[in-house]
Amino acid sequence: MPGLVMLCPECGVNMYDYAFEKKGTDRSALIIKLYYTGNNPNKLAEYAKLFINGKYIGNIELTEKQMRAEGDMKGWSNGLGNQFTALYEKEFRDIPVGQLRVEVEMKFNRMYGLGRSYKRVVFPYVQFNGKEKTTIEHYFESAVDFSVTDKKKKEKIKEESKKEIPVISDTKLKTATGTIKLDIGLFD
């Protein structure tokens, strides 16, 4: 049928090349799994967005979520509720072959839903081979470490967040009626 449609109107030569049809079958598939290891999966968005080489491909839906049970460390056999509390998962087909840049963007609510921030995790060099499935797994505990893919960097972020904020003894913060006053001692 395509050969009948692709005739040259002037000379009647068949313009359809059957080699294009064979090249089109060399596609791959991508499986994305995002594991949330935090303690409050109810505050997560319903989906994340997938971009390949800057082009929007589709949404990755939240497939499962379960709060951690108090004192019950068994969880389900697949780790839900124990190793992770929420799972985003989707399979995308018809991905071009080659080395591509994969990005996942997620919206996080801030300040009790009044504000929001968009975080993006980037996998810059992902190799896709023809007729093969490529799987990308990413673990995150909060919006802060969503965009970090290196485990050492995630550990450093956790250590820095546990440090206390230093208090300067000379500076005192006093509140008045409706205003905030900052007193700094100039003389000892």
Side-chain angles (χ1 to χ4, degrees), residues 4-173:
L4 297 175
V5 178
M6 299 293 288
L7 293 176
C8 178
E10 295 176 3
C11 60
V13 176
N14 188 1
M15 295 171 30
Y16 183 75
D17 187 7
Y18 293 100
F20 291 134
E21 188 175 314
K22 291 181 183 176
K23 288 181 184 176
T25 60
D26 216 18
R27 305 295 266 185
S28 61
L30 172 65
I31 300 172
I32 297 276
K33 293 182 180 181
L34 303 172
Y35 297 98
Y36 175 68
T37 59
N39 291 327
N40 201 353
N42 293 330
K43 292 187 176 182
L44 292 175
E46 293 297 320
Y47 62 90
K49 293 182 179 182
L50 175 70
F51 297 89
I52 294 182
N53 283 350
K55 182 182 174 187
Y56 173 74
I57 301 296
N59 292 338
I60 308 164
E61 288 86 17
L62 177 65
T63 56
E64 299 178 85
K65 66 180 177 179
Q66 176 182 336
M67 296 289 291
R68 283 196 172 96
E70 298 282 333
D72 181 24
M73 296 305 289
K74 295 176 187 174
W76 294 91
S77 61
N78 63 355
L80 187 64
N82 185 15
Q83 297 170 350
F84 57 93
T85 55
L87 171 66
Y88 292 85
E89 183 178 22
K90 181 131 185 207
E91 180 176 346
F92 294 94
R93 296 176 187 257
D94 203 31
I95 304 293
V97 175
Q99 189 173 9
L100 304 173
R101 176 185 173 106
V102 177
E103 301 173 63
V104 178
E105 182 182 80
M106 188 177 290
K107 177 180 73 171
F108 293 95
N109 289 332
R110 300 288 189 177
M111 298 172 18
Y112 304 104
L114 296 175
R116 58 182 74 99
S117 65
Y118 294 92
K119 298 289 184 170
R120 188 174 280 214
V121 61
V122 179
F123 304 96
Y125 308 109
V126 180
Q127 181 65 37
F128 292 97
N129 298 323
K131 298 182 182 178
E132 290 184 6
K133 291 184 179 180
T134 304
T135 303
I136 295 178
E137 294 182 346
H138 179 62
Y139 293 84
F140 67 100
E141 186 175 1
S142 64
V144 174
D145 68 345
F146 180 75
S147 59
V148 181
T149 57
D150 188 16
K151 289 183 182 179
K152 291 181 182 178
K153 287 182 182 177
K154 284 187 180 184
E155 291 173 5
K156 185 177 179 182
I157 290 171
K158 287 180 186 177
E159 289 174 10
E160 289 177 359
S161 66
K162 290 180 183 177
K163 292 181 183 177
E164 294 183 16
I165 300 172
V167 178
I168 301 171
S169 61
D170 294 337
T171 305
K172 297 178 183 177
L173 183 65

